[in-house]
C-alpha cells in the first residue's frame, strides 16, 4: 500500500528523541502516545486504515501492523545536537539514511553525493587510494544514493548509446565526495567510537533540509489546467509537517511544490460529513503583480490528522522557549566561537533546488482579502481561513516566492 505517516491526536511530552510507532508493511505509520497500548491499537488497525486511507478492502484485510522505533516528530533539532550516546546517534542516522534513500527527503544531487559519501565511510571505512573503491560503489550504488539517481543502462551497447552517462557522473561525484570525508584524529582505535562523528555529520547535513524530522501524510492536489480543453487531473503528493512548518512534496518528481513556515500560513480542514476530506492551506502570493491570498486544496482522508498536528505544533512552539532556525541548525562549536555563524542552508538558495517552492506548478484559488475573486473557481467554505493561524501580533505575511530559475515541466 502507498505509504503515509500520521500522528493520532496530540502527543505527550516532547522530551524523548525516539518514540514507538505502529506501521504496516506498506509503511502506513501512526506515532504512539505514551498512554497507547500497541496490542489494542493493532486490534483496531483495519478500522484505522478504512478511516484514514484509500487502500482497497482486500489490502486492508491482509495488512499486518508492526511496532517500530522511530524518531520523535516533536523532538527539536537543536536538542538532537546535544546527544552523545553512539547508539542513539546510530538509530537517528539509520532512519535519516532510509528517508534519503527512499527519496522521502528530496535532496539535490550534490547533497545526495555528500550524504552518500558519509554512508560510504560508515560502511566501507576510510577512503584508501589505490583500492578498488569505484567497483564497490558501483555494485552497491543503491546503498549510497536514492534509486532515481541510480538508474542506468548496462553493458557496451548502453555505453555506446550514451545511457548511464548521468549515473556515471553520479558515481564519480560520490567517489570525489568520499575522498573528501574528513577523519577524526585518534579515532581509529575504536571502530564504533570512530563512527559517531560521521553519524553526527550525516544528521547535521540532514538538518539543512527544511522537512527533516517531519511526519508524512499522503494526499492529492489539482494539476494546473493545460491544453485547449483545460484538462487538469490530480497528482499525488506527500505532506510533511514538522515543528517548523508544512511542505508539500511531489511524490513522483521528488521535489518540493510548496514550503511554508507556520508564520506564513493559515489552514482549515473539511470532513467527509461536510463535503469531502480536504486540508486547506492559505498563504500570501501575487497574481500578475496583484497581492492575493492563495488557497491550496489537498485531498486526503488524513486531513483531520494533518490539521490537528499543525495546531499542536504551533501550540508546542509557543509553549517552549523561542529558537531561531539558525540556532536550531548551528552546531555547538560554531555557537561557542567568537566568529559570526556561517550562512545557514546555502544549498537552499541553489537555483532549481528540489527544496525550493514551485508555485507555478500549483493549481490554487486566488482572491483578494476583501473577498473579490480573480479566478473562476470559488472557495466552497464561507468562513475565513485566517481564523486558524499562528498569532504573530503583526498580522502580516511574507509572500512565498518560487525558484528564480527552474526547469520547465
Amino acid at each position: 500500500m502507498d505509504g503515509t505517516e500520521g500522528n493520532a491526536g496530540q502527543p505527550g511530552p516532547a522530551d524523548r528523541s525516539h518514540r514507538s510507532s505502529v506501521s504496516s508493511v506498506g509503511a502506513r505509520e501512526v506515532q504512539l502516545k505514551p498512554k497507547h497500548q500497541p496490542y489494542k491499537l493493532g486490534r483496531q488497525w483495519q478500522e484505522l486504515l478504512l478511516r484514514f486511507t484509500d487502500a482497497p478492502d482486500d489490502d486492508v484485510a491482509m495488512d499486518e501492523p508492526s511496532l517500530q522505533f522511530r524518531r520523535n516528530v516533536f523532538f527539536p533539532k537543536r536538542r538532537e545536537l546535544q546527544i552523545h550516546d553512539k547508539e542513539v546517534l546510530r538509530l537517528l542516522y539509520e532512519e535519516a539514511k532510509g528517508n534519503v534513500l527512499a527519496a522521502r527527503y528530496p535532496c539535490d544531487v550534490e547533497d545526495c553525493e555528500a550524504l552518500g559519501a558519509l554512508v560510504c565511510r560508515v560502511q566501507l571505512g576510510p577512503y584508501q587510494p589505490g583500492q578498488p573503491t569505484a567497483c564497490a560503489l558501483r555494485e552497491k550504488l543503491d546503498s549510497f544514493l536514492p534509486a532515481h539517481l541510480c538508474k542506468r543502462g548496462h553493458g557496451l551497447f548502453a555505453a555506446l548509446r550514451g545511457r548511464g552517462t548521468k549515473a556515471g557522473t553520479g558515481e564519480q561525484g560520490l567517489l570525489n565526495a568520499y575522498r573528501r570525508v574528513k577523519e577524526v584524529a585518534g579515532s581509529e582505535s575504536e571502530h564504533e567510537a570512530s563512527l559517531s562523528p560521521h553519524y553526527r555529520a550525516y544528521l547535521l547535513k540532514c538538518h539543512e533540509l527544511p522537512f527533516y524530522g517531519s511526519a508524512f501524510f499522503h494526499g492529492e492536489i489539482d494539476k494546473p489546467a493545460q491544453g485547449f480543453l483545460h484538462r487538469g487531473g490530480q497528482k499525488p503528493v506527500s505532506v510533511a509537517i514538522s515543528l517548523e512548518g508544512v511542505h508539500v512534496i511531489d511524490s513522483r518528481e521528488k521535489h518540493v511544490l510548496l514550503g511554508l513556515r507556520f508564520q506564513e500560513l493559515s489552514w482549515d480542514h473539511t470532513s467527509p460529513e461536510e463535503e469531502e476530506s480536504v486540508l486547506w492551506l492559505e498563504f500570501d502570493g501575487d497574481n500578475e503583480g496583484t497581492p492575493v491570498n492563495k488557497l491550496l486544496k489537498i485531498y486526503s482522508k488524513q486531513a483531520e490528522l494533518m490539521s490537528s498536528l499543525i495546531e499542536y505544533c504551533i501550540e508546542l512552539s509557543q509553549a517552549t522557549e523561542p529558537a531561531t532556525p539558525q540556532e536550531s541548525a548551528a552546531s555547538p562549536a560554531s555557537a561557542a566561537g567568537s566568529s559570526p555563524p556561517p550562512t545557514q542552508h546555502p544549498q537552499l538558495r541553489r537555483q532549481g533546488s528540489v527544496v525550493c517552492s514551485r508555485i507555478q506548478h500549483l493549481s490554487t484559488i486566488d482572491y483578494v482579502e476583501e473577498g473579490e475573486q480573480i479566478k473562476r473557481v470559488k472557495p466552497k467554505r464561507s468562513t475565513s481561513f485566517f481564523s486558524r493561524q499562528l498569532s504573530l501580533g503583526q498580522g502580516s505575511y511574507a509572500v512565498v516566492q518560487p525558484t528564480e530559475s527552474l526547469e520547465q515541466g
Side-chain angles (χ1 to χ4, degrees):
M1 292 188 295
D2 294 334
T4 57
E5 178 178 337
N7 294 70
Q10 296 180 355
D15 57 352
R16 301 181 182 93
S17 62
H18 282 75
R19 302 183 67 171
S20 298
S21 68
V22 173
S23 173
S24 69
V25 175
R28 296 187 182 275
E29 301 152 17
V30 178
Q31 180 169 294
L32 303 186
K33 295 184 285 187
K35 67 178 182 180
H36 277 143
Q37 299 182 26
Y39 175 75
K40 290 185 177 180
L41 196 62
R43 294 286 299 271
Q44 302 172 346
W45 189 248
Q46 292 185 359
E47 179 183 344
L48 292 173
L49 292 179
L50 291 172
R51 179 180 177 186
F52 295 115
T53 74
D54 295 310
D57 292 343
D58 291 343
D59 288 351
V60 170
M62 297 297 294
D63 197 76
E64 290 289 340
S66 63
L67 188 64
Q68 302 179 357
F69 202 47
R70 296 288 184 89
R71 183 190 188 278
N72 188 348
V73 174
F74 307 100
F75 192 72
K77 289 189 292 187
R78 65 182 183 277
R79 295 273 306 278
E80 197 172 274
L81 299 176
Q82 302 170 7
I83 296 176
H84 297 285
D85 187 287
K86 65 177 182 295
E87 286 302 318
V88 176
L89 288 174
R90 183 184 62 82
L91 289 172
L92 292 169
Y93 157 80
E94 291 289 349
E95 182 174 346
K97 181 187 70 173
N99 286 330
V100 171
L101 294 180
R104 209 176 197 185
Y105 291 167
C107 299
D108 294 324
V109 175
E110 296 88 342
D111 298 325
C112 287
E113 292 171 353
L115 291 169
L118 290 168
V119 179
C120 291
R121 171 58 184 85
V122 170
Q123 296 186 6
L124 305 178
Y127 175 78
Q128 300 291 342
Q131 292 188 359
T133 306
C135 296
L137 295 184
R138 189 174 298 110
E139 292 173 358
K140 301 181 179 181
L141 194 60
D142 58 356
S143 299
F144 310 122
L145 296 176
H148 66 280
L149 297 181
C150 299
K151 295 179 181 178
R152 62 184 186 273
H154 296 277
L156 176 61
F157 292 104
L160 292 176
R161 287 194 298 266
R163 296 180 183 178
T165 302
K166 184 175 182 180
T169 304
E171 292 173 13
Q172 187 61 45
L174 178 62
L175 184 60
N176 293 337
Y178 185 19
R179 291 192 186 103
R180 294 192 296 267
V181 174
K182 297 180 180 180
E183 294 298 323
V184 179
S187 63
E188 292 79 2
S189 56
E190 296 184 13
H191 176 67
E192 289 297 329
S194 67
L195 294 181
S196 294
H198 304 297
Y199 294 152
R200 187 179 300 276
Y202 194 98
L203 295 173
L204 284 172
K205 187 67 176 175
C206 287
H207 283 191
E208 297 174 353
L209 301 172
F211 33 74
Y212 173 76
S214 294
F216 287 83
F217 302 83
H218 174 74
E220 292 183 334
I221 61 173
D222 293 319
K223 294 181 180 178
Q226 296 178 347
F228 178 74
L229 298 177
H230 299 285
R231 292 180 177 176
Q234 295 180 346
K235 68 167 62 178
V237 296
S238 295
V239 183
I241 302 175
S242 69
L243 291 174
E244 298 176 3
V246 180
H247 287 79
V248 181
I249 300 171
D250 192 313
S251 300
R252 293 173 180 169
E253 299 299 327
K254 313 300 182 186
H255 60 219
V256 171
L257 295 169
L258 179 66
L260 297 170
R261 295 173 297 173
F262 291 127
Q263 296 92 334
E264 298 172 322
L265 67 86
S266 54
W267 85 100
D268 210 334
H269 78 280
T270 55
S271 62
E273 291 76 14
E274 297 179 73
E275 42 190 64
E276 56 187 336
S277 186
V278 171
L279 177 71
W280 297 86
L281 297 180
E282 183 182 49
F283 56 98
D284 279 13
D286 69 86
N287 185 292
E288 299 179 354
T290 302
V292 297
N293 297 340
K294 288 181 174 286
L295 284 176
L296 178 63
K297 188 177 184 181
I298 303 175
Y299 306 89
S300 175
K301 278 192 172 183
Q302 297 165 329
E304 180 182 357
L305 294 177
M306 289 188 275
S307 179
S308 297
L309 182 55
I310 292 173
E311 184 171 10
Y312 184 79
C313 284
I314 290 177
E315 291 177 357
L316 191 63
S317 65
Q318 292 176 330
T320 57
E321 66 277 10
T324 63
Q326 288 78 9
E327 293 172 343
S328 300
S331 63
S334 63
S338 58
S339 59
T343 303
Q344 298 297 320
H345 311 331
Q347 79 282 13
L348 303 190
R349 306 283 190 255
R350 187 180 296 135
Q351 289 188 344
S353 172
V354 297
V355 299
C356 291
S357 294
R358 287 160 167 77
I359 308 297
Q360 72 275 25
H361 291 189
L362 297 176
S363 177
T364 59
I365 302 169
D366 296 1
Y367 65 96
V368 297
E369 191 170 353
E370 290 76 13
E372 177 186 352
Q373 65 195 43
I374 61 175
K375 286 289 186 69
R376 292 177 301 170
V377 184
K378 298 181 180 179
K380 293 183 179 181
R381 292 180 61 82
S382 58
T383 58
S384 171
F385 285 83
F386 284 107
S387 61
R388 306 191 73 176
Q389 59 181 283
L390 174 60
S391 176
L392 296 177
Q394 297 176 349
S396 61
Y397 293 104
V399 176
V400 179
Q401 299 290 349
T403 331
E404 295 179 1
S405 173
L406 293 174
E407 65 277 9
Q408 300 298 320

